Amino acid sequence: MSGERRPAITASGVCKSFGEHPVLDHVDLSVAAGTIFGLLGPNGAGKTTVVRILSTLIEADSGDVHVAGHDVRRAPDAVRGQIGVTGQFSALDELLTGEENLRLMADLHHLERDAGRERVAELVGRFDLADAIGRPVSTYSGGMRRRLDLAMTLVGSPSVIFLDEPTTGLDPRSRRTVWGIIEELVADGVTIFLTTQYLDEADQLADRVAVLDRGRIVAEGSTDELKRRIPGGHVRLEFSTFDALQAAAELLDGAACDEDKLVLRLPTDGSMPSLRRLLDRLDDARVDVEQFSVRTPDLDDVFLALTGHPVQPEGVAVP
């Protein structure tokens, strides 16, 4: 189809073991260019190993991987020229100022002096670092460090960026600032590969997500698609009279009735067609509903159902 985006990342049959311990077991991935792809999984699922393979830091034992149009095994240097990587913990020299860190990165990318200065100035403005750029990084807050870390990732103008737990340990305001930066990058055409344990982060940012558990992809799709796979969604109907409650209960098969609260709960997949049919049936039968609400499974429910693990506490680092 002409409207489909070309893949920026593809992985097929990727396996990786460390000694006798298998970490990845035939992982397949496809990430469209100019989108945000979220990789979710419990501790030890293999998320960081996936990032390290895709970013050429380690080799897979088997499988094919292409990033930005290049084979990571045969052309790792070409891949490195197209990507940026921001890990769970910032890779900043705390003895240097923010500007010195950025200029060092410009030198590593072999930018000429004038081009390097221009790029540094551009990133300082974009990441709102002007007030702190002349200070040692040791004086920076967590949010400022993460902004500088992301700015350094962009010095080489990568087309694909790997963000491994980018907001771990940040306060809510700093997290939202980083989210805004990520959304701006994608608007500019950059592809983002994001690993996270913050399910609200994946829900907020990712166009598609994959759930990795015990080295295997156990589900993939948009967050809405994954939520619809999990049972437990229901409509809550509240009535002002017992007669209305009883009429609705007789009309709607499978509804759970709470006579004391004048409430009915009816299973639903949360889709608009099913909700529309429900409301039409009540309207046709002239049953008045006082209040109407829909509860659908969230990503926490998806995560637990697919992996058998609850969401990890905030701030827990993932191997």
Side-chain angles (χ1 to χ4, degrees), residues 261-305:
K261 296 182 179 179
L262 299 180
V263 167
L264 283 184
R265 286 168 47 116
L266 187 70
T268 181
D269 61 5
S271 67
M272 286 303 297
S274 67
L275 296 177
R276 189 177 296 113
R277 286 193 298 269
L278 170 61
L279 295 176
D280 286 344
R281 290 185 67 189
L282 292 168
D283 190 51
D284 291 343
R286 299 182 182 277
V287 177
D288 292 327
V289 179
E290 184 75 11
Q291 291 190 27
F292 173 92
S293 60
V294 181
R295 196 277 184 186
T296 56
D298 56 22
L299 277 186
D300 297 77
D301 300 317
V302 172
F303 196 92
L304 179 60

Side-chain angles (χ1 to χ4, degrees), residues 93-300:
D93 189 325
E94 296 198 355
L95 299 179
L96 300 180
T97 66
E99 184 175 12
E100 288 168 339
N101 271 277
L102 285 170
R103 287 189 174 180
L104 176 60
M105 186 60 68
D107 290 340
L108 291 174
H109 280 280
H110 306 293
L111 297 182
E112 294 184 0
R113 178 171 297 183
D114 289 345
R117 287 178 176 173
E118 182 177 336
R119 185 63 172 155
V120 167
E122 176 190 346
L123 292 170
V124 168
R126 181 171 188 174
F127 286 84
D128 195 22
L129 291 166
D131 292 341
I133 200 65
R135 301 201 326 251
V137 171
S138 59
T139 67
Y140 283 23
S141 66
M144 291 169 59
R145 287 168 185 255
R146 182 52 74 191
R147 296 207 309 274
L148 178 59
D149 211 17
L150 286 169
M152 291 180 65
T153 300
L154 290 180
V155 168
S157 301
S159 63
V160 178
I161 297 178
F162 296 96
L163 301 179
D164 191 14
E165 304 282 350
T167 62
T168 295
L170 296 186
D171 61 82
R173 181 177 180 181
S174 295
R175 287 179 67 208
R176 292 194 174 276
T177 298
V178 172
W179 290 0
I181 292 170
I182 292 172
E183 289 171 336
E184 289 175 3
L185 292 173
V186 174
D188 289 342
V190 176
T191 303
I192 302 291
F193 189 98
L194 168 75
T195 74
T196 182
Q197 287 194 86
Y198 297 136
L199 301 188
D200 61 329
E201 187 161 87
D203 218 354
Q204 171 76 22
L205 295 174
D207 298 292
R208 291 183 66 80
V209 299
V211 180
L212 184 70
D213 188 38
R214 298 180 179 90
R216 293 186 175 185
I217 300 295
V218 295
E220 183 177 347
S222 70
T223 55
D224 287 341
E225 288 170 347
L226 293 187
K227 292 172 191 176
R228 286 197 293 268
R229 296 186 189 183
I230 306 303
H234 65 267
V235 175
R236 186 180 188 274
L237 304 170
E238 186 173 337
F239 302 88
S240 57
T241 67
F242 180 78
D243 288 343
L245 172 71
Q246 190 173 37
E250 293 174 354
L251 181 68
L252 304 173
D253 294 334
C257 183
D258 186 335
E259 295 184 355
D260 293 332
K261 296 182 179 179
L262 299 180
V263 167
L264 283 184
R265 286 168 47 116
L266 187 70
T268 181
D269 61 5
S271 67
M272 286 303 297
S274 67
L275 296 177
R276 189 177 296 113
R277 286 193 298 269
L278 170 61
L279 295 176
D280 286 344
R281 290 185 67 189
L282 292 168
D283 190 51
D284 291 343
R286 299 182 182 277
V287 177
D288 292 327
V289 179
E290 184 75 11
Q291 291 190 27
F292 173 92
S293 60
V294 181
R295 196 277 184 186
T296 56
D298 56 22
L299 277 186
D300 297 77

Side-chain angles (χ1 to χ4, degrees), residues 43 88 165 168 197-198 312-318:
N43 281 337
Q88 296 177 30
E165 304 282 350
T168 295
Q197 287 194 86
Y198 297 136
Q312 297 293 329
E314 291 195 0
V316 176
V318 181

